[in-house]
Amino acid sequence: MSLSAKQKATVRDFFSKMSTRSDDIGAEALSRLVAVYPQTKSYFAHWKEATPGSAPVRKHGITIMGGVYDAVGKIDDLKGGLLSLSELHAFMLRVDPVNFKLLAHCMLVCMSMIFPEEFTPQVHVAVDKFLAQLALALCEKYR
Amino acid sequence: MVEWTDSERAIINSIFSNLDYEEIGRKSLCRCLIVYPWTQRYFGGFGNLYNAETILCNPLIAAHGTKILHGLDRALKNMDDIKNTYAELSLLHSDKLHVDPDNFRLLADCLTVVIAAKMGAAFTVDTQVAWQKFLSVVVSALGRQYH
C-alpha cells in the first residue's frame, strides 16, 4: 500500500499546515496512547511516571513527532532514510510493532480534533498510509 | 462482565445525547469506505462508490451510516450486558452478511476520528478512554458469535 505522488503531496501539505501545533499533537498523542492502551506504559517503566499529560510523556511525544516530521522529508525513501532509527528500534528499544498502529491511531485522533476541517477523509487515508509506511521502515531491521 | 464507573457512564451518555446521528453516521461510514477501501466489498448493492467524492454524496451510504449508528443505541441502553444484547446481531453479521469482524474495529476507529473532529477540545483524554472502551466492548460482542 505505497503512497501515490498525489498522496505524498497531500501528506507534505497537511504536515506543513499542522506545523504550528505539531508539539501539541505529539504530546497529546502519546498521552492518549498510554491512557487508552495502558499496556504501552510497559515501555516507560524507567520513567518516574507515565501518566497522560505528565512532563516525560509530553517531552517524549514531542520527540516522536519530530521524528515523524523528519520522515515526511524522507517520504520518497523511508527505508533508506530511517535506517539508523530502524536499528535503534530493532536492537535497543524493541517496541512490538503492533504499538506503532496504536500510536498512529492516537495521532490521527489528535489531528482530527485540532484540524477538523482540513483532516478530510482523503487527507486521513494519505496520512494513515504514510504512518503505516513509516512503521514498516522502523521495523525494517527487526528480523 | 464489563465494569463501568459512574464517570464512564456519564461520558458515554453525554456523547449520545448530543449526537447528530445522520451527520456522524454518514461521515463515519463514508470515512471507513474511503480510508479502508476493501470494506467496500460489503456494499456492492449501494450504488456508485467510484471515488471519495461519489461516496460522500451517496444517499444509500448516508442512510446506512445512520442505521449503523442507531444500532449502537442498544449497547447504550444495556451497558451492563452488551455481550448478550448483540448476540443476535453478531450471528447476523456472521451467517448472513459474512462480514470479517476486523471491519468492526475499522469502523469504530473512523467513528472515533469523526467524533473527535466534532467535539474538538471537548474530546478529552478521559472522554477518549471511555469512548474507546465502549466501542471495544461493542466490537467484541459483535464478533463473539462467529463460528
PDB file of all heavy atoms in Angstrom, chain B residues 111-147:
ATOM      1  N   LEU B 111     -15.235   6.124  13.422  1.00  0.00           N
ATOM      2  CA  LEU B 111     -16.241   6.807  14.248  1.00  0.00           C
ATOM      3  C   LEU B 111     -15.548   7.673  15.301  1.00  0.00           C
ATOM      4  O   LEU B 111     -15.947   8.818  15.549  1.00  0.00           O
ATOM      5  CB  LEU B 111     -17.149   5.759  14.898  1.00  0.00           C
ATOM      6  CG  LEU B 111     -18.289   6.242  15.799  1.00  0.00           C
ATOM      7  CD1 LEU B 111     -19.169   7.260  15.087  1.00  0.00           C
ATOM      8  CD2 LEU B 111     -19.129   5.058  16.266  1.00  0.00           C
ATOM      9  N   THR B 112     -14.491   7.142  15.892  1.00  0.00           N
ATOM     10  CA  THR B 112     -13.734   7.900  16.901  1.00  0.00           C
ATOM     11  C   THR B 112     -13.130   9.160  16.285  1.00  0.00           C
ATOM     12  O   THR B 112     -13.199  10.241  16.886  1.00  0.00           O
ATOM     13  CB  THR B 112     -12.629   7.015  17.510  1.00  0.00           C
ATOM     14  OG1 THR B 112     -13.234   5.870  18.105  1.00  0.00           O
ATOM     15  CG2 THR B 112     -11.838   7.759  18.568  1.00  0.00           C
ATOM     16  N   VAL B 113     -12.551   9.039  15.103  1.00  0.00           N
ATOM     17  CA  VAL B 113     -11.943  10.196  14.432  1.00  0.00           C
ATOM     18  C   VAL B 113     -12.994  11.257  14.126  1.00  0.00           C
ATOM     19  O   VAL B 113     -12.782  12.463  14.325  1.00  0.00           O
ATOM     20  CB  VAL B 113     -11.208   9.746  13.140  1.00  0.00           C
ATOM     21  CG1 VAL B 113     -10.860  10.930  12.252  1.00  0.00           C
ATOM     22  CG2 VAL B 113      -9.949   8.978  13.489  1.00  0.00           C
ATOM     23  N   VAL B 114     -14.186  10.823  13.668  1.00  0.00           N
ATOM     24  CA  VAL B 114     -15.252  11.770  13.309  1.00  0.00           C
ATOM     25  C   VAL B 114     -15.782  12.466  14.564  1.00  0.00           C
ATOM     26  O   VAL B 114     -16.002  13.686  14.565  1.00  0.00           O
ATOM     27  CB  VAL B 114     -16.392  11.043  12.554  1.00  0.00           C
ATOM     28  CG1 VAL B 114     -17.622  11.920  12.415  1.00  0.00           C
ATOM     29  CG2 VAL B 114     -15.911  10.623  11.176  1.00  0.00           C
ATOM     30  N   ILE B 115     -15.963  11.725  15.630  1.00  0.00           N
ATOM     31  CA  ILE B 115     -16.445  12.321  16.884  1.00  0.00           C
ATOM     32  C   ILE B 115     -15.403  13.275  17.453  1.00  0.00           C
ATOM     33  O   ILE B 115     -15.751  14.339  17.987  1.00  0.00           O
ATOM     34  CB  ILE B 115     -16.850  11.215  17.877  1.00  0.00           C
ATOM     35  CG1 ILE B 115     -18.076  10.495  17.326  1.00  0.00           C
ATOM     36  CG2 ILE B 115     -17.030  11.743  19.282  1.00  0.00           C
ATOM     37  CD1 ILE B 115     -19.099  10.071  18.325  1.00  0.00           C
ATOM     38  N   ALA B 116     -14.125  12.920  17.323  1.00  0.00           N
ATOM     39  CA  ALA B 116     -13.043  13.802  17.789  1.00  0.00           C
ATOM     40  C   ALA B 116     -13.080  15.131  17.038  1.00  0.00           C
ATOM     41  O   ALA B 116     -12.915  16.207  17.625  1.00  0.00           O
ATOM     42  CB  ALA B 116     -11.689  13.134  17.602  1.00  0.00           C
ATOM     43  N   ALA B 117     -13.332  15.057  15.733  1.00  0.00           N
ATOM     44  CA  ALA B 117     -13.408  16.286  14.925  1.00  0.00           C
ATOM     45  C   ALA B 117     -14.581  17.137  15.377  1.00  0.00           C
ATOM     46  O   ALA B 117     -14.490  18.361  15.476  1.00  0.00           O
ATOM     47  CB  ALA B 117     -13.571  15.945  13.439  1.00  0.00           C
ATOM     48  N   LYS B 118     -15.704  16.484  15.669  1.00  0.00           N
ATOM     49  CA  LYS B 118     -16.909  17.206  16.077  1.00  0.00           C
ATOM     50  C   LYS B 118     -16.729  17.862  17.439  1.00  0.00           C
ATOM     51  O   LYS B 118     -17.116  19.003  17.649  1.00  0.00           O
ATOM     52  CB  LYS B 118     -18.087  16.204  16.129  1.00  0.00           C
ATOM     53  CG  LYS B 118     -19.423  16.846  16.415  1.00  0.00           C
ATOM     54  CD  LYS B 118     -19.959  17.530  15.197  1.00  0.00           C
ATOM     55  CE  LYS B 118     -21.237  18.278  15.511  1.00  0.00           C
ATOM     56  NZ  LYS B 118     -21.827  18.927  14.357  1.00  0.00           N
ATOM     57  N   MET B 119     -16.120  17.111  18.375  1.00  0.00           N
ATOM     58  CA  MET B 119     -16.028  17.604  19.751  1.00  0.00           C
ATOM     59  C   MET B 119     -14.815  18.487  20.002  1.00  0.00           C
ATOM     60  O   MET B 119     -14.796  19.249  20.979  1.00  0.00           O
ATOM     61  CB  MET B 119     -16.025  16.423  20.738  1.00  0.00           C
ATOM     62  CG  MET B 119     -17.349  15.672  20.784  1.00  0.00           C
ATOM     63  SD  MET B 119     -17.294  14.249  21.897  1.00  0.00           S
ATOM     64  CE  MET B 119     -17.148  15.041  23.480  1.00  0.00           C
ATOM     65  N   GLY B 120     -13.793  18.368  19.177  1.00  0.00           N
ATOM     66  CA  GLY B 120     -12.595  19.184  19.358  1.00  0.00           C
ATOM     67  C   GLY B 120     -11.975  18.969  20.726  1.00  0.00           C
ATOM     68  O   GLY B 120     -11.817  17.858  21.198  1.00  0.00           O
ATOM     69  N   ALA B 121     -11.686  20.097  21.409  1.00  0.00           N
ATOM     70  CA  ALA B 121     -11.026  20.031  22.713  1.00  0.00           C
ATOM     71  C   ALA B 121     -11.869  19.291  23.754  1.00  0.00           C
ATOM     72  O   ALA B 121     -11.328  18.763  24.728  1.00  0.00           O
ATOM     73  CB  ALA B 121     -10.703  21.431  23.199  1.00  0.00           C
ATOM     74  N   ALA B 122     -13.180  19.224  23.527  1.00  0.00           N
ATOM     75  CA  ALA B 122     -14.052  18.533  24.481  1.00  0.00           C
ATOM     76  C   ALA B 122     -13.825  17.029  24.451  1.00  0.00           C
ATOM     77  O   ALA B 122     -14.249  16.315  25.366  1.00  0.00           O
ATOM     78  CB  ALA B 122     -15.522  18.840  24.186  1.00  0.00           C
ATOM     79  N   PHE B 123     -13.160  16.537  23.415  1.00  0.00           N
ATOM     80  CA  PHE B 123     -12.816  15.113  23.350  1.00  0.00           C
ATOM     81  C   PHE B 123     -11.524  14.908  24.144  1.00  0.00           C
ATOM     82  O   PHE B 123     -10.462  14.642  23.600  1.00  0.00           O
ATOM     83  CB  PHE B 123     -12.657  14.677  21.894  1.00  0.00           C
ATOM     84  CG  PHE B 123     -12.687  13.190  21.678  1.00  0.00           C
ATOM     85  CD1 PHE B 123     -13.842  12.469  21.953  1.00  0.00           C
ATOM     86  CD2 PHE B 123     -11.583  12.502  21.181  1.00  0.00           C
ATOM     87  CE1 PHE B 123     -13.886  11.096  21.747  1.00  0.00           C
ATOM     88  CE2 PHE B 123     -11.615  11.131  20.976  1.00  0.00           C
ATOM     89  CZ  PHE B 123     -12.766  10.435  21.264  1.00  0.00           C
ATOM     90  N   THR B 124     -11.680  15.016  25.471  1.00  0.00           N
ATOM     91  CA  THR B 124     -10.526  14.957  26.369  1.00  0.00           C
ATOM     92  C   THR B 124      -9.959  13.539  26.407  1.00  0.00           C
ATOM     93  O   THR B 124     -10.567  12.596  25.875  1.00  0.00           O
ATOM     94  CB  THR B 124     -10.953  15.319  27.795  1.00  0.00           C
ATOM     95  OG1 THR B 124     -11.929  14.351  28.218  1.00  0.00           O
ATOM     96  CG2 THR B 124     -11.538  16.716  27.872  1.00  0.00           C
ATOM     97  N   VAL B 125      -8.842  13.382  27.089  1.00  0.00           N
ATOM     98  CA  VAL B 125      -8.221  12.067  27.248  1.00  0.00           C
ATOM     99  C   VAL B 125      -9.207  11.110  27.924  1.00  0.00           C
ATOM    100  O   VAL B 125      -9.417   9.990  27.452  1.00  0.00           O
ATOM    101  CB  VAL B 125      -6.925  12.172  28.073  1.00  0.00           C
ATOM    102  CG1 VAL B 125      -6.357  10.793  28.345  1.00  0.00           C
ATOM    103  CG2 VAL B 125      -5.895  13.021  27.351  1.00  0.00           C
ATOM    104  N   ASP B 126      -9.848  11.569  29.008  1.00  0.00           N
ATOM    105  CA  ASP B 126     -10.807  10.709  29.720  1.00  0.00           C
ATOM    106  C   ASP B 126     -11.978  10.332  28.836  1.00  0.00           C
ATOM    107  O   ASP B 126     -12.481   9.206  28.905  1.00  0.00           O
ATOM    108  CB  ASP B 126     -11.329  11.418  30.981  1.00  0.00           C
ATOM    109  CG  ASP B 126     -10.280  11.466  32.072  1.00  0.00           C
ATOM    110  OD1 ASP B 126      -9.287  10.707  31.993  1.00  0.00           O
ATOM    111  OD2 ASP B 126     -10.439  12.277  33.019  1.00  0.00           O
ATOM    112  N   THR B 127     -12.415  11.280  28.001  1.00  0.00           N
ATOM    113  CA  THR B 127     -13.515  11.006  27.088  1.00  0.00           C
ATOM    114  C   THR B 127     -13.098   9.932  26.084  1.00  0.00           C
ATOM    115  O   THR B 127     -13.854   8.999  25.822  1.00  0.00           O
ATOM    116  CB  THR B 127     -13.936  12.290  26.341  1.00  0.00           C
ATOM    117  OG1 THR B 127     -14.276  13.283  27.302  1.00  0.00           O
ATOM    118  CG2 THR B 127     -15.122  12.046  25.422  1.00  0.00           C
ATOM    119  N   GLN B 128     -11.904  10.084  25.537  1.00  0.00           N
ATOM    120  CA  GLN B 128     -11.443   9.101  24.554  1.00  0.00           C
ATOM    121  C   GLN B 128     -11.309   7.716  25.191  1.00  0.00           C
ATOM    122  O   GLN B 128     -11.683   6.714  24.589  1.00  0.00           O
ATOM    123  CB  GLN B 128     -10.106   9.511  23.932  1.00  0.00           C
ATOM    124  CG  GLN B 128      -9.675   8.569  22.800  1.00  0.00           C
ATOM    125  CD  GLN B 128      -8.372   8.962  22.120  1.00  0.00           C
ATOM    126  OE1 GLN B 128      -7.841  10.048  22.334  1.00  0.00           O
ATOM    127  NE2 GLN B 128      -7.842   8.084  21.279  1.00  0.00           N
ATOM    128  N   VAL B 129     -10.800   7.667  26.420  1.00  0.00           N
ATOM    129  CA  VAL B 129     -10.644   6.383  27.104  1.00  0.00           C
ATOM    130  C   VAL B 129     -12.004   5.691  27.250  1.00  0.00           C
ATOM    131  O   VAL B 129     -12.165   4.517  26.909  1.00  0.00           O
ATOM    132  CB  VAL B 129      -9.976   6.570  28.486  1.00  0.00           C
ATOM    133  CG1 VAL B 129     -10.006   5.284  29.283  1.00  0.00           C
ATOM    134  CG2 VAL B 129      -8.539   7.045  28.326  1.00  0.00           C
ATOM    135  N   ALA B 130     -12.998   6.442  27.752  1.00  0.00           N
ATOM    136  CA  ALA B 130     -14.329   5.865  27.970  1.00  0.00           C
ATOM    137  C   ALA B 130     -14.961   5.450  26.647  1.00  0.00           C
ATOM    138  O   ALA B 130     -15.538   4.363  26.514  1.00  0.00           O
ATOM    139  CB  ALA B 130     -15.221   6.869  28.692  1.00  0.00           C
ATOM    140  N   TRP B 131     -14.846   6.328  25.654  1.00  0.00           N
ATOM    141  CA  TRP B 131     -15.459   6.085  24.347  1.00  0.00           C
ATOM    142  C   TRP B 131     -14.870   4.843  23.679  1.00  0.00           C
ATOM    143  O   TRP B 131     -15.586   3.985  23.166  1.00  0.00           O
ATOM    144  CB  TRP B 131     -15.280   7.324  23.463  1.00  0.00           C
ATOM    145  CG  TRP B 131     -15.820   7.185  22.087  1.00  0.00           C
ATOM    146  CD1 TRP B 131     -15.103   7.158  20.925  1.00  0.00           C
ATOM    147  CD2 TRP B 131     -17.185   7.038  21.710  1.00  0.00           C
ATOM    148  NE1 TRP B 131     -15.949   6.998  19.850  1.00  0.00           N
ATOM    149  CE2 TRP B 131     -17.224   6.932  20.295  1.00  0.00           C
ATOM    150  CE3 TRP B 131     -18.384   6.988  22.423  1.00  0.00           C
ATOM    151  CZ2 TRP B 131     -18.418   6.768  19.590  1.00  0.00           C
ATOM    152  CZ3 TRP B 131     -19.562   6.824  21.715  1.00  0.00           C
ATOM    153  CH2 TRP B 131     -19.577   6.721  20.324  1.00  0.00           C
ATOM    154  N   GLN B 132     -13.545   4.742  23.695  1.00  0.00           N
ATOM    155  CA  GLN B 132     -12.904   3.602  23.048  1.00  0.00           C
ATOM    156  C   GLN B 132     -13.170   2.309  23.828  1.00  0.00           C
ATOM    157  O   GLN B 132     -13.259   1.239  23.250  1.00  0.00           O
ATOM    158  CB  GLN B 132     -11.406   3.846  22.834  1.00  0.00           C
ATOM    159  CG  GLN B 132     -11.144   4.874  21.752  1.00  0.00           C
ATOM    160  CD  GLN B 132      -9.797   4.709  21.025  1.00  0.00           C
ATOM    161  OE1 GLN B 132      -9.185   5.672  20.609  1.00  0.00           O
ATOM    162  NE2 GLN B 132      -9.328   3.492  20.861  1.00  0.00           N
ATOM    163  N   LYS B 133     -13.307   2.407  25.141  1.00  0.00           N
ATOM    164  CA  LYS B 133     -13.661   1.230  25.938  1.00  0.00           C
ATOM    165  C   LYS B 133     -15.047   0.748  25.518  1.00  0.00           C
ATOM    166  O   LYS B 133     -15.250  -0.451  25.266  1.00  0.00           O
ATOM    167  CB  LYS B 133     -13.646   1.578  27.428  1.00  0.00           C
ATOM    168  CG  LYS B 133     -14.051   0.412  28.336  1.00  0.00           C
ATOM    169  CD  LYS B 133     -13.969   0.819  29.807  1.00  0.00           C
ATOM    170  CE  LYS B 133     -14.614  -0.218  30.703  1.00  0.00           C
ATOM    171  NZ  LYS B 133     -14.531   0.137  32.138  1.00  0.00           N
ATOM    172  N   PHE B 134     -15.996   1.677  25.402  1.00  0.00           N
ATOM    173  CA  PHE B 134     -17.358   1.347  24.990  1.00  0.00           C
ATOM    174  C   PHE B 134     -17.343   0.664  23.625  1.00  0.00           C
ATOM    175  O   PHE B 134     -17.919  -0.406  23.438  1.00  0.00           O
ATOM    176  CB  PHE B 134     -18.190   2.635  24.953  1.00  0.00           C
ATOM    177  CG  PHE B 134     -19.581   2.462  24.430  1.00  0.00           C
ATOM    178  CD1 PHE B 134     -20.581   1.899  25.220  1.00  0.00           C
ATOM    179  CD2 PHE B 134     -19.917   2.878  23.143  1.00  0.00           C
ATOM    180  CE1 PHE B 134     -21.878   1.744  24.736  1.00  0.00           C
ATOM    181  CE2 PHE B 134     -21.211   2.727  22.654  1.00  0.00           C
ATOM    182  CZ  PHE B 134     -22.197   2.157  23.454  1.00  0.00           C
ATOM    183  N   LEU B 135     -16.649   1.280  22.655  1.00  0.00           N
ATOM    184  CA  LEU B 135     -16.611   0.718  21.309  1.00  0.00           C
ATOM    185  C   LEU B 135     -15.926  -0.646  21.288  1.00  0.00           C
ATOM    186  O   LEU B 135     -16.344  -1.536  20.543  1.00  0.00           O
ATOM    187  CB  LEU B 135     -15.890   1.670  20.339  1.00  0.00           C
ATOM    188  CG  LEU B 135     -16.672   2.918  19.923  1.00  0.00           C
ATOM    189  CD1 LEU B 135     -15.856   3.753  18.941  1.00  0.00           C
ATOM    190  CD2 LEU B 135     -18.010   2.563  19.306  1.00  0.00           C
ATOM    191  N   SER B 136     -14.892  -0.823  22.102  1.00  0.00           N
ATOM    192  CA  SER B 136     -14.198  -2.116  22.063  1.00  0.00           C
ATOM    193  C   SER B 136     -15.086  -3.219  22.629  1.00  0.00           C
ATOM    194  O   SER B 136     -15.029  -4.364  22.166  1.00  0.00           O
ATOM    195  CB  SER B 136     -12.850  -2.048  22.772  1.00  0.00           C
ATOM    196  OG  SER B 136     -13.018  -1.958  24.155  1.00  0.00           O
ATOM    197  N   VAL B 137     -15.946  -2.882  23.594  1.00  0.00           N
ATOM    198  CA  VAL B 137     -16.889  -3.874  24.119  1.00  0.00           C
ATOM    199  C   VAL B 137     -17.909  -4.228  23.043  1.00  0.00           C
ATOM    200  O   VAL B 137     -18.246  -5.400  22.844  1.00  0.00           O
ATOM    201  CB  VAL B 137     -17.592  -3.349  25.395  1.00  0.00           C
ATOM    202  CG1 VAL B 137     -18.673  -4.307  25.855  1.00  0.00           C
ATOM    203  CG2 VAL B 137     -16.585  -3.142  26.507  1.00  0.00           C
ATOM    204  N   VAL B 138     -18.401  -3.214  22.330  1.00  0.00           N
ATOM    205  CA  VAL B 138     -19.356  -3.443  21.241  1.00  0.00           C
ATOM    206  C   VAL B 138     -18.724  -4.320  20.157  1.00  0.00           C
ATOM    207  O   VAL B 138     -19.320  -5.305  19.711  1.00  0.00           O
ATOM    208  CB  VAL B 138     -19.830  -2.097  20.630  1.00  0.00           C
ATOM    209  CG1 VAL B 138     -20.594  -2.334  19.334  1.00  0.00           C
ATOM    210  CG2 VAL B 138     -20.691  -1.326  21.611  1.00  0.00           C
ATOM    211  N   VAL B 139     -17.513  -3.959  19.752  1.00  0.00           N
ATOM    212  CA  VAL B 139     -16.807  -4.695  18.690  1.00  0.00           C
ATOM    213  C   VAL B 139     -16.603  -6.156  19.098  1.00  0.00           C
ATOM    214  O   VAL B 139     -16.824  -7.074  18.323  1.00  0.00           O
ATOM    215  CB  VAL B 139     -15.462  -4.006  18.373  1.00  0.00           C
ATOM    216  CG1 VAL B 139     -14.542  -4.921  17.570  1.00  0.00           C
ATOM    217  CG2 VAL B 139     -15.688  -2.712  17.610  1.00  0.00           C
ATOM    218  N   SER B 140     -16.221  -6.344  20.347  1.00  0.00           N
ATOM    219  CA  SER B 140     -16.001  -7.701  20.845  1.00  0.00           C
ATOM    220  C   SER B 140     -17.307  -8.499  20.833  1.00  0.00           C
ATOM    221  O   SER B 140     -17.351  -9.660  20.408  1.00  0.00           O
ATOM    222  CB  SER B 140     -15.412  -7.611  22.254  1.00  0.00           C
ATOM    223  OG  SER B 140     -15.499  -8.840  22.892  1.00  0.00           O
ATOM    224  N   ALA B 141     -18.405  -7.863  21.270  1.00  0.00           N
ATOM    225  CA  ALA B 141     -19.717  -8.531  21.311  1.00  0.00           C
ATOM    226  C   ALA B 141     -20.186  -8.908  19.907  1.00  0.00           C
ATOM    227  O   ALA B 141     -20.733  -9.999  19.686  1.00  0.00           O
ATOM    228  CB  ALA B 141     -20.750  -7.639  21.988  1.00  0.00           C
ATOM    229  N   LEU B 142     -19.946  -8.030  18.956  1.00  0.00           N
ATOM    230  CA  LEU B 142     -20.375  -8.299  17.583  1.00  0.00           C
ATOM    231  C   LEU B 142     -19.582  -9.444  16.949  1.00  0.00           C
ATOM    232  O   LEU B 142     -20.064 -10.125  16.053  1.00  0.00           O
ATOM    233  CB  LEU B 142     -20.219  -7.043  16.720  1.00  0.00           C
ATOM    234  CG  LEU B 142     -21.355  -6.026  16.811  1.00  0.00           C
ATOM    235  CD1 LEU B 142     -21.020  -4.779  16.019  1.00  0.00           C
ATOM    236  CD2 LEU B 142     -22.658  -6.610  16.326  1.00  0.00           C
ATOM    237  N   GLY B 143     -18.391  -9.665  17.420  1.00  0.00           N
ATOM    238  CA  GLY B 143     -17.566 -10.735  16.858  1.00  0.00           C
ATOM    239  C   GLY B 143     -17.718 -12.051  17.581  1.00  0.00           C
ATOM    240  O   GLY B 143     -17.224 -13.089  17.157  1.00  0.00           O
ATOM    241  N   ARG B 144     -18.469 -12.032  18.691  1.00  0.00           N
ATOM    242  CA  ARG B 144     -18.472 -13.169  19.601  1.00  0.00           C
ATOM    243  C   ARG B 144     -19.152 -14.418  19.084  1.00  0.00           C
ATOM    244  O   ARG B 144     -18.766 -15.535  19.432  1.00  0.00           O
ATOM    245  CB  ARG B 144     -19.143 -12.752  20.914  1.00  0.00           C
ATOM    246  CG  ARG B 144     -18.594 -13.521  22.052  1.00  0.00           C
ATOM    247  CD  ARG B 144     -18.877 -12.859  23.378  1.00  0.00           C
ATOM    248  NE  ARG B 144     -18.317 -13.708  24.407  1.00  0.00           N
ATOM    249  CZ  ARG B 144     -18.888 -14.825  24.849  1.00  0.00           C
ATOM    250  NH1 ARG B 144     -20.036 -15.210  24.358  1.00  0.00           N
ATOM    251  NH2 ARG B 144     -18.287 -15.558  25.770  1.00  0.00           N
ATOM    252  N   GLN B 145     -20.160 -14.278  18.238  1.00  0.00           N
ATOM    253  CA  GLN B 145     -20.947 -15.440  17.797  1.00  0.00           C
ATOM    254  C   GLN B 145     -20.430 -16.055  16.504  1.00  0.00           C
ATOM    255  O   GLN B 145     -21.067 -16.948  15.948  1.00  0.00           O
ATOM    256  CB  GLN B 145     -22.429 -15.036  17.624  1.00  0.00           C
ATOM    257  CG  GLN B 145     -23.073 -14.449  18.870  1.00  0.00           C
ATOM    258  CD  GLN B 145     -23.014 -15.401  20.048  1.00  0.00           C
ATOM    259  OE1 GLN B 145     -23.113 -16.613  19.888  1.00  0.00           O
ATOM    260  NE2 GLN B 145     -22.826 -14.863  21.247  1.00  0.00           N
ATOM    261  N   TYR B 146     -19.318 -15.544  15.999  1.00  0.00           N
ATOM    262  CA  TYR B 146     -18.748 -16.107  14.777  1.00  0.00           C
ATOM    263  C   TYR B 146     -18.279 -17.522  15.047  1.00  0.00           C
ATOM    264  O   TYR B 146     -17.713 -17.823  16.101  1.00  0.00           O
ATOM    265  CB  TYR B 146     -17.594 -15.244  14.256  1.00  0.00           C
ATOM    266  CG  TYR B 146     -18.024 -14.046  13.456  1.00  0.00           C
ATOM    267  CD1 TYR B 146     -18.763 -13.015  14.041  1.00  0.00           C
ATOM    268  CD2 TYR B 146     -17.699 -13.925  12.115  1.00  0.00           C
ATOM    269  CE1 TYR B 146     -19.153 -11.913  13.306  1.00  0.00           C
ATOM    270  CE2 TYR B 146     -18.092 -12.819  11.365  1.00  0.00           C
ATOM    271  CZ  TYR B 146     -18.809 -11.815  11.963  1.00  0.00           C
ATOM    272  OH  TYR B 146     -19.209 -10.728  11.223  1.00  0.00           O
ATOM    273  N   HIS B 147     -18.493 -18.375  14.077  1.00  0.00           N
ATOM    274  CA  HIS B 147     -18.111 -19.771  14.264  1.00  0.00           C
ATOM    275  C   HIS B 147     -17.596 -20.361  12.962  1.00  0.00           C
ATOM    276  O   HIS B 147     -17.835 -19.798  11.899  1.00  0.00           O
ATOM    277  CB  HIS B 147     -19.302 -20.566  14.791  1.00  0.00           C
ATOM    278  CG  HIS B 147     -20.508 -20.495  13.902  1.00  0.00           C
ATOM    279  ND1 HIS B 147     -20.859 -21.492  13.056  1.00  0.00           N
ATOM    280  CD2 HIS B 147     -21.428 -19.512  13.701  1.00  0.00           C
ATOM    281  CE1 HIS B 147     -21.960 -21.157  12.360  1.00  0.00           C
ATOM    282  NE2 HIS B 147     -22.322 -19.950  12.750  1.00  0.00           N
TER     283      HIS B 147
END
